[in-house]
Amino acid sequence: MKNYLITGGAGFIGTNFIRHALTARPDWNIVNLDALTYAGNPANLENLDPGIAGRYHFVRGDICDATLLDSLFSKYIFNGIIHFAAESHVDRSIQGPEDFAQTNVMGTFRLLEACRKFRKDKKMSDEFRFLHISTDEVYGSLGPDGYFAEQTPYDPSSPYSASKASSDHFVKAYFRTYGLPTLVTNCSNNYGPYQFPEKLIPLTILNIIKEKPLPVYGDGKNIRDWLYVLDHCDALITVLEKGTPGETYNIGGGAERENIEIVHLLCDLVDDRLGRSGDKSGRWLIQFVTDRPGHDRRYAIDATKIKTDLGWTSARTLEDALESTVDWYLNNMEWVDSVQSGEYRKWIKQNYQHRGVNS
Ligand code: NAD
Ligand code: TYD
């Protein structure tokens, strides 16, 4: 059996990754280290099939806790770390950047230090890899033309992207300085099941269902390159197993859309499912609101390297995957209700109180 440490596995992408990997890789034993912040929900992984549940182990804890990392590295010989844990929401980073510096920068540094220490003591598998999951936001904003390639200079705009950029630099430095076999992936915006409803797609789906306003920042023409989370999970396994240590791989969905187009698509899909039309259509709920400060205009990934070097491309079309995402939320309203209680409500109140309606 191979042991993998997954950090942040109770969050959106981590949950999807663990579910996918336990099925796709029957020889993996997974240890999920997660602090369970507002974004972490251990219930996401409670109902695993009995056939795979025995290979999943949850540890509640902070990646900044060096003593806890020592104890985990002493207990297991890891074949790899797949590092998702982070503060991940741009709007939260604008309201309170400190947690982003702490978890994203210091937490990544602590993990790297634990690897350096235990590798020196030869308490690691020979095929060990440190896979660091990062974002295309480190590259800053694009104009109407061009794409982010692996060699595009970093130019982060938000405290979130600045903290991820910093962590990427630490990871690369540990490869160059200490020879730690690291891999960095920079991916575009993900969507799919289990995403916390503060991000554009789940927030919009749930607000349409509940007939609440759909806040669209600025003119709604900012562009993101949407990637279905299960395509992303496939790409991560590919990079882990075939990637060259020290390299970076950009991962994109090849699906650039303006935010307003995404909102319109979601309105049409939910309307169709709920039999709404005319003045009951979700489109009437759209409200253009004050723009996010430092709002990047356009992200778009050039995924040539992962395609030519490792043979990965995204499999699902945006339209098909958005449809199954809408169905997932409609079929999992119990999950939604449990997530929307407590902290999430407070956040919505705090975040939208100061944001005026433009039109
Ligand atoms: P998420 O916010 O849904 O989940 C983050 C998880 O990390 C949560 O379970 C949380 O409890 C845990 N966590 C936070 N601080 C921790 C700490 N100090 N110690 C241990 N666990 C902690 O995030 P996500 O959307 O699943 O993103 C996962 C990773 O992918 C992040 O590194 C993010 O930067 C990156 N990423 C995400 C996207 C996206 O569209 N969601 C796009 C590009 C890159
Ligand atoms: P988001 O899902 O927060 O991801 P990111 O900021 O990491 O790209 O936002 C995606 C896009 O949607 C971004 O351009 C901001 C915009 N947006 C809205 O217009 N309204 C919203 O309520 C949210 C959450 C985001």
Side-chain angles (χ1 to χ4, degrees), residues 8-14 33-41 61-64 83-88 103 133-136 160 164 187-190 195-196 198-199 232:
F12 162 51
I13 304 176
L33 172 63
D34 196 301
L36 300 185
T37 67
Y38 79 94
N41 186 351
D62 193 327
I63 54 166
C64 300
H83 176 33
F84 295 97
E87 288 293 336
S88 70
T103 287
I133 318 303
S134 191
T135 167
D136 59 358
Y160 164 65
K164 292 296 291 187
C187 71
S188 58
N189 288 61
N190 283 221
Q195 188 166 27
F196 193 79
E198 64 185 351
K199 306 275 167 74
H232 184 202

Side-chain angles (χ1 to χ4, degrees), residues 27-183:
D27 59 340
W28 282 27
N29 198 30
I30 287 180
V31 179
N32 175 15
L33 172 63
D34 196 301
L36 300 185
T37 67
Y38 79 94
N41 186 351
N44 294 352
L45 291 153
E46 258 167 21
N47 61 345
L48 294 171
D49 289 342
I52 58 175
R55 291 184 282 113
Y56 171 68
H57 314 276
F58 178 70
V59 177
R60 183 175 187 177
D62 193 327
I63 54 166
C64 300
D65 182 345
T67 313
L68 173 62
L69 294 179
D70 271 6
S71 72
L72 283 176
F73 276 79
S74 303
K75 184 167 174 189
Y76 298 96
I77 307 274
F78 288 118
N79 292 68
I81 297 185
I82 303 160
H83 176 33
F84 295 97
E87 288 293 336
S88 70
H89 189 40
V90 173
D91 290 335
R92 282 182 188 257
S93 82
I94 295 168
Q95 301 289 321
E98 187 152 346
D99 287 349
F100 289 72
Q102 184 61 24
T103 287
N104 300 2
V105 185
M106 284 309 295
T108 302
F109 166 74
R110 292 276 172 240
L111 278 171
L112 290 165
E113 274 297 271
C115 293
R116 185 164 79 94
K117 179 173 163 190
F118 280 85
R119 194 158 169 264
K120 213 167 69 199
D121 297 344
K122 300 202 177 356
K123 290 201 181 110
M124 265 182 188
S125 153
D126 289 342
E127 63 166 39
F128 181 86
R129 296 284 182 273
F130 186 104
L131 174 54
H132 176 64
I133 318 303
S134 191
T135 167
D136 59 358
E137 303 193 23
V138 298
Y139 299 121
S141 187
L142 288 166
D145 301 316
Y147 295 90
F148 296 135
E150 286 77 3
Q151 60 279 11
T152 302
Y154 278 26
D155 186 22
S157 304
S158 70
Y160 164 65
S161 51
S163 66
K164 292 296 291 187
S166 171
S167 65
D168 293 7
H169 290 316
F170 268 104
V171 173
K172 291 175 198 185
Y174 271 62
F175 171 76
R176 290 193 199 162
T177 306
Y178 305 114
L180 188 73
T182 61
L183 296 155

